Amino acid sequence: MSRRTGHLTDALHAYLLRWGVDEPAPVRALREDTHRLSQDGWQSSPEQAQFMALLAGAIGARRFLEIGTFTGYCTLRMALALPEDGRVVACDITDEFVEKAGRRHWRESGMEDRIDLRIGPAAATLERLLANPGPGSFDMAFIDADKEDYPVYFSLCAQLVRPNGLVLIDNTFWGGRVADPDDARKSTAAIREVTRMAFERDDFEVAMVPIGDGLLMARRLR
């Protein structure tokens, strides 16, 4: 997660927010409440949430899968981007931060019924989703949880999205650490590994977008 795209000047970032982000009022209110928490750096940037919402509209997404929910900022932005019969399945290990900042905004915006929050280890939740509703049942998946399990999450999400669906992987720059050959931390190694996995699969095509802390887009081809 990253609250803003880091390589921009303050002036250019302000310009981006003014002309490149159309943030619905409930989403902005949730973001502002999240900023009151000491962990607010975990939140995705508004420009990234806007980009993801635009992608959802472009591919006609109706079912969105989120791995890593935090306060539910992107959750709400994506719920609002989907059609009336759309649904977000949000996975997290705890609902602590949703209860602190997010759920009230889900409810007041009328989106709470479109969000299915599933609490528990994400890999187990994804395995259950593979059993029911089954492979190819989601249009988009967004991975933004514990970094060391990114390869596992991608392997499962690659099965859960439909052909022409998208898997989005956050923090693929990891603050620049992925390009440091001396960085051998497990989290860094896992991000490098998931990037390699997505790049080398012949049933996906990828693009890495320098937004937030790096967003890898992988489109399922078949």
Side-chain angles (χ1 to χ4, degrees), residues 94-169:
T94 177
D95 63 356
E96 175 188 356
F97 299 106
V98 166
E99 297 302 334
K100 283 182 177 180
R103 191 176 296 278
R104 175 171 66 87
H105 298 287
W106 293 359
R107 183 173 57 251
E108 292 177 356
S109 64
M111 293 293 110
E112 188 173 25
D113 289 345
R114 295 191 195 178
I115 300 169
D116 178 4
L117 178 62
R118 303 197 180 191
I119 301 302
T125 301
L126 297 176
E127 292 280 8
R128 287 192 291 271
L129 290 170
L130 275 173
N132 181 31
S137 52
F138 289 88
D139 303 292
M140 292 178 67
F142 176 48
I143 300 172
D144 185 17
D146 51 304
K147 310 310 174 193
E148 293 181 21
D149 285 329
Y150 265 26
V152 173
Y153 299 153
F154 175 71
S155 294
L156 294 167
C157 287
Q159 301 172 66
L160 283 163
V161 298
R162 60 166 171 84
N164 281 318
L166 297 172
V167 180
L168 309 178
I169 306 174

Coordinates of all heavy atoms in Angstrom, one line a residue, residues 94-169:
T94 N -8.2 -9.8 9.7 CA -8.9 -9.2 10.8 C -9.8 -8.1 10.2 O -9.6 -7.5 9.2 CB -7.9 -8.5 11.8 OG1 -8.6 -7.8 12.8 CG2 -7.0 -7.5 11.1
D95 N -10.9 -7.9 11.0 CA -11.8 -6.8 10.7 C -11.6 -5.6 11.6 O -12.4 -4.6 11.6 CB -13.3 -7.2 10.7 CG -13.7 -7.6 12.1 OD1 -12.9 -7.6 13.1 OD2 -14.9 -8.0 12.3
E96 N -10.5 -5.5 12.3 CA -10.2 -4.5 13.2 C -10.3 -3.1 12.6 O -10.9 -2.2 13.1 CB -8.8 -4.7 13.9 CG -8.4 -3.5 14.8 CD -6.9 -3.6 15.2 OE1 -6.3 -4.7 14.9 OE2 -6.5 -2.7 15.9
F97 N -9.6 -2.9 11.5 CA -9.5 -1.6 10.8 C -10.8 -1.2 10.1 O -11.2 -0.1 10.0 CB -8.3 -1.5 10.0 CG -7.0 -1.7 10.7 CD1 -6.3 -2.9 10.6 CD2 -6.6 -0.8 11.6 CE1 -5.2 -3.1 11.4 CE2 -5.4 -1.0 12.4 CZ -4.7 -2.2 12.2
V98 N -11.5 -2.2 9.5 CA -12.8 -2.0 8.9 C -13.7 -1.4 9.9 O -14.5 -0.5 9.7 CB -13.3 -3.3 8.2 CG1 -14.8 -3.1 7.9 CG2 -12.6 -3.6 7.0
E99 N -13.7 -2.0 11.1 CA -14.6 -1.6 12.2 C -14.2 -0.2 12.7 O -15.1 0.6 13.1 CB -14.7 -2.6 13.3 CG -15.2 -4.0 12.9 CD -16.6 -3.9 12.4 OE1 -17.4 -3.0 12.7 OE2 -17.0 -4.8 11.6
K100 N -13.0 0.1 12.7 CA -12.5 1.4 13.2 C -12.9 2.6 12.2 O -13.2 3.7 12.6 CB -11.0 1.4 13.4 CG -10.5 0.7 14.7 CD -9.0 0.8 14.8 CE -8.5 0.2 16.1 NZ -7.1 0.3 16.2
A101 N -12.8 2.3 10.9 CA -12.9 3.4 9.9 C -13.8 3.1 8.8 O -14.4 4.1 8.2 CB -11.5 3.8 9.4
G102 N -14.0 1.9 8.3 CA -14.6 1.7 7.1 C -16.1 1.3 7.0 O -16.8 1.8 6.2
R103 N -16.5 0.5 8.0 CA -17.8 -0.1 7.8 C -18.9 1.0 7.8 O -19.9 0.9 7.1 CB -18.1 -1.1 8.9 CG -19.4 -1.9 8.7 CD -19.6 -3.0 9.7 NE -18.6 -4.0 9.6 CZ -18.6 -5.0 8.8 NH1 -19.5 -5.1 7.8 NH2 -17.7 -6.0 8.8
R104 N -18.8 2.0 8.6 CA -19.8 3.1 8.7 C -19.9 3.7 7.3 O -21.1 4.0 6.9 CB -19.3 4.2 9.7 CG -20.3 5.4 9.7 CD -19.9 6.3 10.9 NE -18.6 6.9 10.7 CZ -18.4 8.0 10.1 NH1 -19.4 8.7 9.5 NH2 -17.2 8.6 10.0
H105 N -18.8 3.9 6.6 CA -18.9 4.5 5.3 C -19.5 3.5 4.2 O -20.2 4.0 3.3 CB -17.6 5.0 4.8 CG -17.0 6.1 5.7 ND1 -17.5 7.4 5.7 CD2 -16.0 6.0 6.7 CE1 -16.8 8.1 6.6 NE2 -15.9 7.3 7.2
W106 N -19.2 2.3 4.4 CA -19.9 1.3 3.5 C -21.4 1.4 3.7 O -22.1 1.4 2.7 CB -19.4 -0.1 3.9 CG -18.0 -0.5 3.7 CD1 -17.0 0.3 3.1 CD2 -17.4 -1.7 4.0 NE1 -15.8 -0.4 3.1 CE2 -16.0 -1.6 3.6 CE3 -17.8 -2.9 4.5 CZ2 -15.1 -2.7 3.7 CZ3 -16.9 -4.0 4.7 CH2 -15.6 -3.9 4.3
R107 N -21.8 1.4 5.0 CA -23.2 1.4 5.3 C -23.9 2.7 4.8 O -24.9 2.7 4.1 CB -23.4 1.2 6.8 CG -24.9 1.1 7.2 CD -25.0 0.8 8.7 NE -24.3 1.7 9.5 CZ -23.1 1.4 10.2 NH1 -22.6 0.2 10.1 NH2 -22.6 2.3 11.0
E108 N -23.3 3.8 5.1 CA -23.9 5.1 4.8 C -24.0 5.4 3.3 O -24.8 6.1 2.8 CB -23.2 6.2 5.5 CG -23.4 6.2 7.0 CD -22.6 7.3 7.8 OE1 -21.8 8.0 7.1 OE2 -22.7 7.4 9.0
S109 N -23.1 4.8 2.5 CA -23.1 4.9 1.1 C -24.0 3.9 0.4 O -24.1 4.0 -0.8 CB -21.6 4.7 0.5 OG -21.2 3.4 0.8
G110 N -24.6 3.0 1.1 CA -25.5 2.0 0.6 C -24.7 0.9 -0.1 O -25.4 0.1 -0.8
M111 N -23.4 0.7 0.2 CA -22.6 -0.3 -0.5 C -22.4 -1.5 0.4 O -21.8 -2.5 -0.1 CB -21.3 0.3 -0.9 CG -21.3 1.3 -2.0 SD -21.9 0.6 -3.6 CE -23.5 1.3 -3.7
E112 N -22.8 -1.5 1.7 CA -22.4 -2.6 2.6 C -23.0 -3.9 2.1 O -22.3 -5.0 2.2 CB -23.0 -2.3 4.0 CG -22.5 -3.3 5.0 CD -22.9 -3.0 6.4 OE1 -23.9 -2.2 6.6 OE2 -22.2 -3.4 7.4
D113 N -24.1 -4.0 1.5 CA -24.7 -5.2 1.0 C -24.0 -5.8 -0.2 O -24.1 -6.9 -0.6 CB -26.2 -5.0 0.6 CG -27.0 -4.8 1.9 OD1 -26.5 -5.2 3.0 OD2 -28.2 -4.4 1.8
R114 N -23.2 -4.9 -0.9 CA -22.4 -5.4 -2.1 C -21.0 -5.9 -1.7 O -20.3 -6.4 -2.5 CB -22.2 -4.2 -3.1 CG -23.5 -3.7 -3.7 CD -23.1 -2.8 -4.8 NE -24.2 -2.0 -5.3 CZ -24.2 -1.1 -6.2 NH1 -23.0 -0.8 -6.9 NH2 -25.2 -0.4 -6.6
I115 N -20.7 -5.8 -0.4 CA -19.3 -6.2 0.1 C -19.5 -7.4 1.0 O -20.2 -7.4 2.0 CB -18.7 -5.0 0.8 CG1 -18.5 -3.8 -0.1 CG2 -17.3 -5.5 1.4 CD1 -18.1 -2.6 0.6
D116 N -18.8 -8.5 0.6 CA -18.7 -9.7 1.3 C -17.3 -9.8 2.0 O -16.4 -10.2 1.3 CB -19.0 -10.9 0.4 CG -18.9 -12.2 1.1 OD1 -18.7 -12.3 2.3 OD2 -19.0 -13.3 0.4
L117 N -17.2 -9.4 3.3 CA -16.0 -9.4 4.0 C -15.7 -10.8 4.6 O -16.6 -11.2 5.4 CB -16.0 -8.3 5.0 CG -14.7 -8.2 5.9 CD1 -13.5 -7.9 5.1 CD2 -14.9 -7.2 7.0
R118 N -14.6 -11.4 4.2 CA -14.3 -12.8 4.7 C -13.0 -12.7 5.6 O -12.0 -12.3 5.0 CB -14.2 -13.7 3.6 CG -15.4 -13.8 2.7 CD -15.5 -15.0 1.8 NE -16.7 -15.0 1.0 CZ -17.2 -16.0 0.3 NH1 -16.5 -17.2 0.4 NH2 -18.3 -16.0 -0.4
I119 N -13.2 -13.0 6.8 CA -12.1 -12.9 7.8 C -11.4 -14.3 8.0 O -12.1 -15.3 8.2 CB -12.6 -12.4 9.1 CG1 -13.2 -11.0 8.9 CG2 -11.4 -12.3 10.1 CD1 -12.3 -9.9 8.3
G120 N -10.1 -14.3 7.8 CA -9.3 -15.5 8.0 C -8.1 -15.5 7.1 O -7.9 -14.6 6.3
P121 N -7.3 -16.5 7.2 CA -6.1 -16.6 6.3 C -6.5 -16.6 4.9 O -7.4 -17.3 4.4 CB -5.5 -17.9 6.7 CG -5.9 -18.2 8.1 CD -7.3 -17.6 8.2
A122 N -6.0 -15.7 4.1 CA -6.4 -15.4 2.7 C -6.3 -16.6 1.8 O -7.2 -16.9 1.0 CB -5.7 -14.2 2.1
A123 N -5.2 -17.4 2.0 CA -5.0 -18.5 1.1 C -6.2 -19.5 1.3 O -6.7 -20.1 0.3 CB -3.7 -19.2 1.4
A124 N -6.6 -19.7 2.5 CA -7.7 -20.7 2.8 C -9.0 -20.1 2.2 O -9.8 -20.9 1.7 CB -7.8 -20.9 4.3
T125 N -9.2 -18.8 2.3 CA -10.4 -18.2 1.7 C -10.4 -18.4 0.2 O -11.4 -18.7 -0.4 CB -10.5 -16.7 2.1 OG1 -10.5 -16.6 3.5 CG2 -11.7 -16.1 1.5
L126 N -9.3 -18.2 -0.4 CA -9.2 -18.3 -1.9 C -9.4 -19.8 -2.3 O -10.0 -20.1 -3.3 CB -7.8 -17.8 -2.4 CG -7.5 -16.3 -2.2 CD1 -6.1 -16.0 -2.6 CD2 -8.6 -15.5 -2.9
E127 N -8.9 -20.7 -1.5 CA -9.1 -22.1 -1.8 C -10.6 -22.4 -1.8 O -11.2 -23.2 -2.6 CB -8.4 -23.0 -0.8 CG -6.9 -23.0 -1.0 CD -6.4 -23.9 -2.1 OE1 -7.2 -24.4 -2.9 OE2 -5.1 -24.0 -2.2
R128 N -11.3 -21.9 -0.8 CA -12.8 -22.1 -0.7 C -13.5 -21.5 -1.9 O -14.5 -22.0 -2.4 CB -13.3 -21.5 0.6 CG -12.9 -22.4 1.9 CD -13.7 -22.0 3.1 NE -13.3 -20.7 3.6 CZ -12.3 -20.5 4.5 NH1 -11.6 -21.5 4.9 NH2 -12.0 -19.3 4.9
L129 N -13.0 -20.3 -2.3 CA -13.6 -19.7 -3.5 C -13.4 -20.5 -4.7 O -14.3 -20.5 -5.6 CB -13.1 -18.3 -3.7 CG -13.5 -17.2 -2.6 CD1 -12.7 -15.9 -2.8 CD2 -15.0 -17.0 -2.7
L130 N -12.3 -21.2 -4.8 CA -12.1 -22.1 -6.0 C -13.0 -23.2 -6.0 O -13.4 -23.7 -7.1 CB -10.6 -22.6 -6.0 CG -9.6 -21.7 -6.6 CD1 -8.2 -22.2 -6.4 CD2 -9.8 -21.5 -8.1
A131 N -13.4 -23.7 -4.8 CA -14.4 -24.7 -4.7 C -15.8 -24.2 -5.0 O -16.7 -24.9 -5.6 CB -14.4 -25.4 -3.3
N132 N -16.1 -23.0 -4.6 CA -17.4 -22.4 -4.8 C -17.3 -20.9 -4.6 O -16.9 -20.4 -3.5 CB -18.4 -22.9 -3.7 CG -19.8 -22.3 -3.9 OD1 -20.2 -22.0 -5.0 ND2 -20.5 -22.2 -2.8
P133 N -17.5 -20.1 -5.6 CA -18.2 -20.4 -6.9 C -17.3 -21.0 -8.0 O -17.9 -21.4 -9.0 CB -18.6 -19.0 -7.3 CG -17.6 -18.0 -6.8 CD -17.2 -18.6 -5.5
G134 N -16.0 -21.1 -7.8 CA -15.2 -21.9 -8.7 C -14.3 -21.1 -9.6 O -14.3 -19.8 -9.6
P135 N -13.4 -21.7 -10.4 CA -12.5 -21.0 -11.3 C -13.2 -20.1 -12.3 O -14.3 -20.4 -12.7 CB -11.8 -22.2 -12.0 CG -12.0 -23.4 -11.1 CD -13.3 -23.2 -10.5
G136 N -12.5 -19.0 -12.6 CA -13.1 -18.0 -13.6 C -14.3 -17.3 -13.1 O -15.0 -16.7 -13.9
S137 N -14.5 -17.2 -11.8 CA -15.7 -16.6 -11.3 C -15.6 -15.1 -11.0 O -16.6 -14.4 -10.6 CB -16.3 -17.3 -10.1 OG -15.3 -17.5 -9.1
F138 N -14.4 -14.5 -11.1 CA -14.2 -13.1 -10.8 C -13.6 -12.4 -12.1 O -12.9 -13.0 -12.9 CB -13.2 -12.9 -9.7 CG -13.8 -13.3 -8.3 CD1 -13.7 -14.6 -7.9 CD2 -14.4 -12.4 -7.6 CE1 -14.2 -15.0 -6.7 CE2 -15.0 -12.8 -6.3 CZ -14.9 -14.1 -5.9
D139 N -13.9 -11.1 -12.2 CA -13.5 -10.3 -13.3 C -12.1 -9.7 -13.0 O -11.3 -9.5 -13.9 CB -14.5 -9.2 -13.6 CG -15.8 -9.8 -14.0 OD1 -16.0 -10.4 -15.0 OD2 -16.8 -9.6 -13.2
M140 N -11.9 -9.3 -11.7 CA -10.7 -8.7 -11.3 C -10.3 -9.2 -9.9 O -11.2 -9.5 -9.1 CB -10.8 -7.2 -11.2 CG -11.0 -6.5 -12.5 SD -11.3 -4.6 -12.2 CE -9.7 -4.1 -11.6
A141 N -9.0 -9.2 -9.6 CA -8.5 -9.5 -8.3 C -7.4 -8.5 -8.0 O -6.6 -8.1 -8.9 CB -8.0 -10.9 -8.2
F142 N -7.3 -8.1 -6.7 CA -6.3 -7.1 -6.3 C -5.6 -7.7 -5.1 O -6.3 -8.0 -4.1 CB -7.0 -5.8 -5.9 CG -6.1 -4.7 -5.4 CD1 -4.9 -4.4 -6.0 CD2 -6.5 -4.0 -4.2 CE1 -4.1 -3.4 -5.5 CE2 -5.7 -3.0 -3.7 CZ -4.5 -2.7 -4.3
I143 N -4.3 -7.8 -5.2 CA -3.5 -8.4 -4.1 C -2.7 -7.3 -3.4 O -1.9 -6.7 -4.0 CB -2.6 -9.5 -4.7 CG1 -3.3 -10.6 -5.4 CG2 -1.7 -10.1 -3.6 CD1 -2.5 -11.6 -6.2
D144 N -3.0 -7.2 -2.1 CA -2.3 -6.1 -1.3 C -2.4 -6.5 0.1 O -2.9 -5.9 1.0 CB -3.0 -4.8 -1.5 CG -2.3 -3.6 -0.8 OD1 -1.1 -3.8 -0.5 OD2 -2.9 -2.6 -0.6
A145 N -1.7 -7.7 0.4 CA -1.7 -8.2 1.8 C -0.3 -8.5 2.2 O 0.6 -7.9 1.7 CB -2.6 -9.4 1.8
D146 N -0.1 -9.5 3.0 CA 1.3 -9.9 3.5 C 2.1 -10.3 2.3 O 1.7 -11.2 1.5 CB 1.2 -11.0 4.5 CG 0.4 -12.2 4.1 OD1 -0.8 -12.0 3.8 OD2 0.9 -13.3 4.1
K147 N 3.2 -9.7 2.1 CA 4.0 -9.8 0.9 C 4.6 -11.2 0.7 O 4.8 -11.6 -0.4 CB 5.1 -8.7 0.9 CG 4.7 -7.3 1.2 CD 3.5 -6.9 0.3 CE 2.9 -5.5 0.8 NZ 1.6 -5.3 0.2
E148 N 5.0 -11.8 1.8 CA 5.7 -13.1 1.7 C 4.8 -14.2 1.1 O 5.2 -15.2 0.5 CB 6.2 -13.6 3.1 CG 7.3 -12.7 3.6 CD 7.8 -13.2 5.0 OE1 7.6 -14.4 5.3 OE2 8.4 -12.4 5.7
D149 N 3.4 -14.0 1.1 CA 2.5 -14.9 0.5 C 2.0 -14.5 -0.8 O 1.1 -15.1 -1.4 CB 1.3 -15.2 1.5 CG 1.7 -16.0 2.6 OD1 2.5 -16.9 2.5 OD2 1.1 -15.8 3.7
Y150 N 2.6 -13.5 -1.4 CA 2.2 -13.0 -2.7 C 2.2 -14.1 -3.8 O 1.2 -14.2 -4.6 CB 3.0 -11.8 -3.2 CG 2.5 -10.4 -2.9 CD1 1.6 -10.2 -1.9 CD2 2.9 -9.4 -3.7 CE1 1.1 -8.9 -1.6 CE2 2.4 -8.1 -3.5 CZ 1.5 -7.9 -2.4 OH 1.0 -6.6 -2.2
P151 N 3.2 -14.9 -3.9 CA 3.2 -16.0 -4.9 C 2.0 -16.9 -4.8 O 1.4 -17.4 -5.8 CB 4.6 -16.7 -4.7 CG 5.5 -15.6 -4.1 CD 4.6 -14.9 -3.2
V152 N 1.7 -17.3 -3.5 CA 0.5 -18.2 -3.3 C -0.7 -17.5 -3.7 O -1.6 -18.1 -4.4 CB 0.5 -18.6 -1.8 CG1 -0.8 -19.3 -1.5 CG2 1.7 -19.4 -1.4
Y153 N -0.9 -16.2 -3.4 CA -2.1 -15.5 -3.7 C -2.3 -15.4 -5.2 O -3.4 -15.5 -5.8 CB -2.1 -14.1 -3.1 CG -2.1 -14.1 -1.6 CD1 -1.5 -13.0 -0.9 CD2 -2.6 -15.1 -0.8 CE1 -1.5 -13.0 0.5 CE2 -2.5 -15.1 0.6 CZ -2.0 -14.0 1.2 OH -1.9 -14.0 2.6
F154 N -1.1 -15.1 -5.9 CA -1.2 -15.0 -7.4 C -1.6 -16.3 -8.0 O -2.4 -16.3 -8.9 CB 0.1 -14.4 -7.9 CG 0.0 -14.4 -9.5 CD1 -0.7 -13.5 -10.1 CD2 0.8 -15.3 -10.2 CE1 -0.8 -13.4 -11.5 CE2 0.7 -15.3 -11.6 CZ -0.1 -14.4 -12.2
S155 N -1.0 -17.4 -7.6 CA -1.3 -18.7 -8.1 C -2.8 -19.0 -8.0 O -3.4 -19.5 -9.0 CB -0.5 -19.8 -7.5 OG 0.9 -19.6 -7.7
L156 N -3.4 -18.6 -6.9 CA -4.8 -18.9 -6.7 C -5.7 -17.9 -7.5 O -6.7 -18.3 -8.1 CB -5.2 -18.9 -5.2 CG -4.5 -20.0 -4.4 CD1 -4.6 -19.7 -2.9 CD2 -5.1 -21.3 -4.7
C157 N -5.3 -16.6 -7.5 CA -6.1 -15.6 -8.2 C -6.0 -15.9 -9.7 O -7.0 -15.6 -10.4 CB -5.6 -14.2 -7.9 SG -6.1 -13.7 -6.2
A158 N -4.9 -16.4 -10.2 CA -4.8 -16.7 -11.6 C -5.8 -17.7 -12.1 O -6.3 -17.7 -13.2 CB -3.4 -17.2 -11.9
Q159 N -6.3 -18.5 -11.1 CA -7.4 -19.5 -11.5 C -8.7 -18.9 -11.3 O -9.7 -19.3 -11.9 CB -7.2 -20.7 -10.6 CG -5.9 -21.5 -10.7 CD -5.8 -22.5 -9.6 OE1 -6.5 -23.5 -9.6 NE2 -4.9 -22.3 -8.7
L160 N -8.9 -17.9 -10.4 CA -10.2 -17.4 -10.0 C -10.7 -16.3 -11.0 O -11.9 -16.1 -11.1 CB -10.1 -16.8 -8.6 CG -10.2 -17.8 -7.5 CD1 -9.7 -17.2 -6.2 CD2 -11.6 -18.4 -7.3
V161 N -9.8 -15.6 -11.7 CA -10.2 -14.6 -12.7 C -10.5 -15.3 -14.0 O -9.9 -16.3 -14.4 CB -9.2 -13.5 -12.9 CG1 -9.0 -12.7 -11.6 CG2 -7.9 -14.0 -13.5
R162 N -11.5 -14.8 -14.7 CA -11.9 -15.3 -16.0 C -10.9 -14.9 -17.1 O -10.1 -14.0 -16.9 CB -13.3 -14.7 -16.4 CG -13.3 -13.1 -16.5 CD -14.5 -12.6 -17.1 NE -14.7 -11.2 -17.1 CZ -14.1 -10.3 -17.9 NH1 -13.3 -10.7 -18.8 NH2 -14.3 -9.0 -17.8
P163 N -11.0 -15.5 -18.3 CA -10.2 -15.1 -19.4 C -10.5 -13.6 -19.7 O -11.7 -13.2 -19.7 CB -10.6 -16.0 -20.6 CG -11.0 -17.3 -19.9 CD -11.7 -16.8 -18.6
N164 N -9.5 -12.8 -20.0 CA -9.6 -11.4 -20.1 C -9.8 -10.6 -18.8 O -10.0 -9.4 -18.8 CB -10.6 -10.9 -21.2 CG -10.1 -11.1 -22.6 OD1 -9.0 -10.8 -22.9 ND2 -10.9 -11.6 -23.5
G165 N -9.8 -11.4 -17.7 CA -9.8 -10.7 -16.4 C -8.5 -10.3 -16.0 O -7.4 -10.6 -16.6
L166 N -8.4 -9.5 -14.9 CA -7.2 -8.9 -14.5 C -6.8 -9.3 -13.0 O -7.7 -9.4 -12.2 CB -7.3 -7.4 -14.5 CG -7.6 -6.7 -15.8 CD1 -7.8 -5.2 -15.6 CD2 -6.4 -6.8 -16.7
V167 N -5.5 -9.6 -12.8 CA -5.0 -9.7 -11.5 C -4.1 -8.5 -11.3 O -3.1 -8.3 -12.1 CB -4.2 -11.0 -11.3 CG1 -3.7 -11.0 -9.9 CG2 -5.1 -12.2 -11.5
L168 N -4.3 -7.7 -10.3 CA -3.5 -6.5 -10.0 C -2.7 -6.8 -8.7 O -3.3 -7.2 -7.7 CB -4.4 -5.3 -9.8 CG -5.4 -5.0 -10.9 CD1 -6.2 -3.8 -10.5 CD2 -4.7 -4.8 -12.2
I169 N -1.4 -6.5 -8.7 CA -0.5 -6.8 -7.6 C 0.1 -5.5 -7.1 O 0.8 -4.9 -7.9 CB 0.5 -7.8 -8.0 CG1 -0.1 -9.1 -8.6 CG2 1.4 -8.2 -6.8 CD1 0.9 -10.1 -9.1

